[in-house]
Amino acid sequence: MGSILHQMFHQSVVEPFPEDIDRHALIIFEANEKMPTIWVNEEFEKQTGYTSEDIIGNNLSLLHGPETSTAAVDLLHYLINTRQPGYVAIQNYHKNGTTIWHLCELLLIKNTDGETTHFAAVQRKTEMDTVRMLMPA
């Protein structure tokens, strides 16, 4: 992982990352009102078509489009605002305009005082059939 993550791991309390993290898009963003992205992995670039230069300094709304569920976005904002980890199925958009379904796992990154300073979003690419199975009837 990049040097910024190495630094965070040594100066912060981080929830355990999934063992298969290299297979999924990983985004680190600040826990403030604008939620700017500070780091993405190569898998994020492969899945979304956006380079780190495209997304660094911007928030994840860059991935949203006309069919992105406002309920999913609201749930992500709720988790962020209440500093809770959780999962959200969300339809994102590739840079070329095609849709991507992600199961987004939100993890907290805390400083040594226990304050959430950053979030990690692990985005697992999935299919609509999987999302339907996760949705309540």
Side-chain angles (χ1 to χ4, degrees), residues 21-26 41-50 63 92-96 98-102 122-126:
I21 189 65
D22 293 335
R23 292 184 20 222
H24 307 295
L26 175 62
N41 67 354
E42 287 181 33
E43 187 60 27
F44 171 87
E45 294 179 340
K46 289 178 191 173
Q47 284 188 23
T48 68
Y50 288 99
L63 299 176
N92 285 323
Y93 285 77
H94 190 279
K95 188 175 183 177
N96 69 13
T98 58
T99 60
I100 313 164
W101 279 98
H102 281 125
V122 180
Q123 295 195 348
R124 293 170 175 82
K125 194 171 179 181
T126 189

Side-chain angles (χ1 to χ4, degrees), residues 18-100:
E19 290 181 20
D20 59 350
I21 189 65
D22 293 335
R23 292 184 20 222
H24 307 295
L26 175 62
I27 305 100
I28 306 293
F29 60 97
E30 292 180 17
N32 63 38
E33 189 175 315
K34 294 188 179 187
M35 300 178 285
T37 302
I38 64 166
W39 186 86
V40 296
N41 67 354
E42 287 181 33
E43 187 60 27
F44 171 87
E45 294 179 340
K46 289 178 191 173
Q47 284 188 23
T48 68
Y50 288 99
T51 65
S52 59
E53 290 80 17
D54 292 329
I55 192 77
I56 300 297
N58 292 305
N59 64 39
L60 294 178
S61 65
L62 185 69
L63 299 176
H64 302 163
E67 294 183 32
T68 300
S69 164
T70 56
V73 173
D74 289 348
L75 179 54
L76 275 173
H77 286 166
Y78 173 79
L79 293 172
I80 289 165
N81 291 333
T82 58
R83 305 296 199 251
Q84 295 182 55
Y87 291 87
V88 177
I90 190 164
Q91 185 176 16
N92 285 323
Y93 285 77
H94 190 279
K95 188 175 183 177
N96 69 13
T98 58
T99 60
I100 313 164

Side-chain angles (χ1 to χ4, degrees), residues 1-11 39:
M1 289 191 195
S3 62
I4 194 163
L5 286 184
H6 179 74
Q7 183 180 19
M8 288 181 135
F9 277 106
H10 289 321
Q11 296 178 356
W39 186 86

